[in-house]
Amino acid sequence: MSTRYRTLLLLRHAKSDYPPGVADHGRPLAPRGQREAGLAGDWLRAHAPAVDAVLCSTATRTRETLQRTRVTAPVQFSDRLYDATPGTVIDEINGVGSRFDVDVETLLVIGHEPAMSAVTLGLASAEGSNSIAAQHISEKFPTSAIAVLRTACTWDQLALRGAALVTFHKAR
């Protein structure tokens, strides 16, 4: 009997701009963010399994990050991922099976800090995880960074310590 693994990709949105008079939810990407989101997409295509589905915050900067990555998988936008607690992000991941009409083996979640680092470190078990990557994440999860986790759990069963942190990449 073989174990089927799933891959979870957690991407923090790219560097955003701070235009005067624009509320936080509506902030667009800065020019640097536009470039780095494209680099994040390039890295995903070269180093990660093909993305089957995307969960994305409704904030402008996360939507623009997704667009710049050029990931073409089915997308569900979630208001709950904006200003989310780690528990809310995990809850959104747990609902993947009912949100998409495809079998999702690789899921990309595009969100915000501090949730992305907390979810990554919370899901990663000490055994089998990349401790150097975990150390980098605990220091800083910069914009356009990607955490790659692997789990044998189904999405609806994924819980704290239920995955292995494989790698962490800073798209620069």
Side-chain angles (χ1 to χ4, degrees), residues 59-165:
T60 300
R61 60 190 176 275
T62 54
R63 289 174 176 265
E64 289 182 358
T65 298
L66 173 59
Q67 179 184 10
R68 294 282 179 164
T69 65
R70 297 180 312 281
V71 169
T72 58
V75 180
Q76 288 277 318
F77 293 99
S78 172
D79 286 326
R80 295 182 71 212
L81 291 176
Y82 175 74
D83 200 24
T85 65
T88 299
V89 175
I90 293 170
D91 187 52
E92 288 291 295
I93 293 167
N94 290 155
V96 162
S98 64
R99 297 185 108 168
F100 295 96
D101 293 336
V102 297
D103 184 26
V104 179
E105 289 191 21
T106 301
L107 176 66
L108 172 62
V109 179
I110 304 175
H112 309 267
E113 268 297 277
M116 292 293 97
S117 60
V119 169
T120 301
L121 296 174
L123 289 175
S125 64
E127 186 177 319
S129 285
N130 180 329
S131 61
I132 294 169
Q135 178 63 37
H136 287 269
I137 292 166
S138 69
E139 292 166 4
K140 184 172 186 178
F141 199 120
T143 53
S144 300
I146 305 161
V148 180
L149 296 109
R150 187 180 74 176
T151 184
C153 297
T154 58
W155 297 120
D156 63 334
Q157 295 296 311
L158 185 62
L160 295 176
R161 307 285 176 249
L165 175 60

